Amino acid sequence: MEETVSILSLRRVIKIISLFKIGKFYDLAIVVVGDFSILRVLKVLSKYNIKVVGINIR
């Protein structure tokens, strides 16, 4: 199962890409999710040299 995320602008969703592509092509991920979802995201992104800012909304 491939995890996907939405890259958002202030007005609309620009595109949906996989966490693997974020880890491979980006330097920073800002993750806005609930309690255990952030752990799943961190597990995937930990394989890449990427900084992650986690914001818990619960």
Side-chain angles (χ1 to χ4, degrees), residues 16-54:
I16 297 175
I17 62 174
S18 74
L19 287 175
F20 301 106
K21 287 182 182 177
I22 290 175
K24 196 171 186 179
F25 298 111
Y26 295 91
D27 298 318
L28 172 69
I30 300 173
V31 182
V32 182
V33 293
D35 294 332
F36 294 104
S37 297
I38 196 161
L39 296 175
R40 188 170 53 233
V41 170
L42 290 174
K43 183 177 179 182
V44 173
L45 293 179
S46 68
K47 299 172 184 162
Y48 302 96
N49 185 21
I50 184 173
K51 293 171 180 58
V52 179
V53 175

